[in-house]
Amino acid sequence: MLLKKKEIEAMYFLRQFPIDRVAVSFSGGKDSLVALHLASRIGIRKAVFCDTTIESQKVIEFVKEVGTILGVKIDIVKPKKSFWELVHLLGVPSVHNRWCCPTIKFQPLNEYARKHKIEYYVTGLRREESVIRKEYKKIEVNPMLPHVIQLNPIVEWSEKEVWEYIRKYELPIPPGYENGLLRNGCVICPYKSPKELGKVKKLEPELWERFEEFL
């Protein structure tokens, strides 16, 4: 009953914005999947996925599959220079040198929004995810996306509710979770724990080997 109420609230929230100016910023993860499905239920048919060039090929294939299943056009964008080009110039990204997000993720999303006249990005961000996100509101301005307003329809949802929603609507399970990963995204991320990086090493041996060769 509580989940149904939250579904209705999320869709009512999204209906307040002009559909032709809204796109879903889809990450390929479970939370993003729920946000995309909710958006599609009220007629939003535009979405964008940023291939940062260090994404799992399994995730990219999943993104294409979800677009077909939901009948949503998910455009895939890439940065002008790949991670592998930039890492030679800027060094390995870290928590103190996080050059990766603004250059290989948010720059392509900014350009996509300008090109397609997008004023709002729907995301699957949730407060429960981290300490950094606990103050997030349903409407936010991301400093890395200064010309787009961020809409977070499931910001108050719990992880349990997210999985319950996925089961309820029989949505495909994003890759990685069955192997114990907590989230999708860049395979090599400075915010991944050593335990997660250990799992990534086994799941994405080719990307990991290329990274080790660079090091």
Side-chain angles (χ1 to χ4, degrees):
M1 195 68 180
L2 179 60
L3 178 62
K4 184 65 178 177
K5 181 175 181 289
K6 285 192 172 183
E7 287 178 48
I8 294 168
E9 288 175 348
M11 290 189 289
Y12 178 78
F13 167 70
L14 291 175
R15 282 195 182 101
Q16 299 176 65
F17 305 93
I19 286 177
D20 61 333
R21 292 285 186 266
V22 179
V24 179
S25 179
F26 185 50
S27 71
K30 67 183 192 312
D31 303 330
S32 192
L33 175 64
V34 170
L36 177 62
H37 188 260
L38 286 164
S40 72
R41 288 172 64 187
I42 67 157
I44 295 171
R45 289 288 178 269
K46 282 184 285 190
V48 58
F49 169 80
C50 183
D51 175 4
T52 60
T53 69
I54 48 168
E55 301 287 335
S56 166
Q57 190 58 40
K58 298 184 190 78
V59 171
I60 294 171
E61 292 305 317
F62 176 76
V63 169
K64 295 174 182 177
E65 177 192 357
V66 168
T68 301
I69 291 171
L70 300 187
V72 175
K73 187 177 187 295
I74 304 179
D75 292 314
I76 297 178
V77 296
K78 290 185 177 183
K80 291 177 181 177
K81 289 189 176 182
S82 73
F83 170 84
W84 304 105
E85 292 175 278
L86 292 170
V87 76
H88 285 279
L89 300 171
L90 303 173
V92 178
S94 69
V95 291
H96 301 295
N97 180 28
R98 198 179 177 186
W99 57 261
C100 42
C101 275
T103 54
I104 62 175
K105 181 180 179 181
F106 289 111
Q107 184 185 49
L109 291 175
N110 272 311
E111 290 178 1
Y112 180 87
R114 282 196 295 268
K115 181 179 178 181
H116 295 274
K117 298 180 180 178
I118 300 300
E119 296 176 11
Y120 306 92
Y121 270 144
V122 178
T123 83
L125 293 174
R126 294 185 301 110
R127 289 187 190 129
E128 192 184 80
E129 286 182 280
S130 68
V131 174
I132 295 172
R133 294 176 176 175
K134 70 177 182 179
E135 301 299 329
Y136 275 20
K137 300 177 179 64
K138 281 192 173 182
I139 301 175
E140 290 279 348
V141 176
N142 185 333
M144 293 193 192
L145 292 166
H147 306 297
V148 184
I149 295 171
Q150 196 165 276
L151 307 177
N152 309 318
I154 64 168
V155 71
E156 298 169 349
W157 289 34
S158 67
E159 183 173 3
K160 181 182 177 182
E161 287 165 335
V162 166
W163 284 117
E164 188 180 339
Y165 184 96
I166 289 171
R167 288 192 297 270
K168 178 180 178 180
Y169 291 99
E170 299 181 336
L171 300 179
I173 305 297
Y177 292 103
E178 71 276 11
N179 294 303
L181 292 182
L182 299 177
R183 59 191 301 174
N184 278 331
C186 298
V187 170
I188 301 151
C189 174
Y191 279 84
K192 277 189 168 74
S193 68
K195 186 177 179 181
E196 279 189 290
L197 288 173
K199 291 175 183 176
V200 164
K201 186 176 181 178
K202 293 179 181 178
L203 294 171
E204 301 291 339
E206 291 182 10
L207 273 174
W208 190 266
E209 185 179 345
R210 187 174 180 183
F211 183 60
E212 283 193 327
E213 283 176 3
F214 167 77
L215 292 177

